[in-house]
Amino acid sequence: MPQQFTHATYYSICDELAAIDTDFNNVIKLYGYPPFWSRPNTYESLVHIILEQQVSLASALSALNKLRERVQEITPARILLLTDTEMRECYCSRQKTAYIRYLAEAIISGQIDLEVFKQMEDEEIRRQLTALKGIGNWTVDVYVMFALQHTDVLPIGDLAIVNAIKRLKDLPKETTKEELITIAEDWKPYRTVASMLLWHYYLASPKSSPKERA
């Protein structure tokens, strides 16, 4: 079973990362600890992540709230009862409507079992979820980080993470993802919590680095 972090271990892991990386230490000094971002291990959480693909968090949340208003509880069975028009009225694009339905059908058929995922290694979860149309590595990364609290995930497909590492480390814009992955090796086995620190830094200080302000 993969290692997980909890409320009880989260801040001590942040401290461990701060001890091995002075930039993280500066982030915590300047902005405090990152929030304990988490979501329940549910179909609704995966729908939320699908809605967040390539749009603002606010737009995704608006669509999610519209779906909640429409069906009260976002479950596979209730979502499959909605027509294309009803999904469109909930701000769901044609593509995302299809992705949300594929996932619902996979859960109802037993192809996907979110409860079993709790005991499963990252790569097997990734294999099963990415077999579904519309679910790629970024969606899996966010799900495993937020819903399952696995400790060692680096969502290198997330633009905010990429930009945060470059800014935090004063790296040139043309630094490749492969180079960033190499830098992140130092944060193992806590790359998920390192990512939380990076998101926190990115949101708290979008235009400057702790090095510039410390």
Side-chain angles (χ1 to χ4, degrees), residues 72-106:
Q72 281 73 60
E73 183 183 357
I74 298 175
T75 65
R78 291 186 182 194
I79 288 295
L80 289 176
L81 291 174
L82 298 180
T83 65
D84 288 350
T85 299
E86 287 172 319
M87 291 294 287
R88 193 161 54 247
E89 288 170 351
C90 294
Y91 312 141
C92 295
S93 68
R94 185 173 54 82
Q95 272 192 321
K96 288 187 179 178
T97 293
Y99 302 160
I100 288 166
R101 286 175 175 162
Y102 293 141
L103 177 61
E105 289 164 355

Side-chain angles (χ1 to χ4, degrees), residues 32-144:
Y33 291 102
F36 184 88
W37 284 301
S38 67
R39 295 179 185 175
N41 181 29
T42 61
Y43 170 69
E44 179 179 312
S45 289
L46 270 166
V47 169
H48 191 181
I49 298 166
I50 288 170
L51 291 171
E52 287 175 331
Q53 294 171 358
Q54 298 179 320
V55 301
S56 72
L57 298 181
S59 296
L61 187 57
S62 292
L64 188 75
N65 286 334
K66 275 289 186 182
L67 285 172
R68 283 178 179 151
E69 288 173 20
R70 179 77 64 163
V71 297
Q72 281 73 60
E73 183 183 357
I74 298 175
T75 65
R78 291 186 182 194
I79 288 295
L80 289 176
L81 291 174
L82 298 180
T83 65
D84 288 350
T85 299
E86 287 172 319
M87 291 294 287
R88 193 161 54 247
E89 288 170 351
C90 294
Y91 312 141
C92 295
S93 68
R94 185 173 54 82
Q95 272 192 321
K96 288 187 179 178
T97 293
Y99 302 160
I100 288 166
R101 286 175 175 162
Y102 293 141
L103 177 61
E105 289 164 355
I107 290 174
I108 287 174
S109 71
Q111 179 186 346
I112 296 294
D113 188 332
L114 301 185
E115 282 301 305
V116 173
F117 282 173
K118 290 179 179 178
Q119 312 299 324
M120 204 175 279
E121 296 294 331
D122 292 0
E123 288 314 306
E124 180 57 21
I125 296 170
R126 191 178 305 278
R127 186 189 69 76
Q128 290 193 26
L129 283 177
T130 55
L132 302 177
K133 188 174 182 180
I135 295 185
N137 285 318
W138 179 85
T139 301
V140 176
D141 287 342
V142 174
Y143 166 71
V144 170

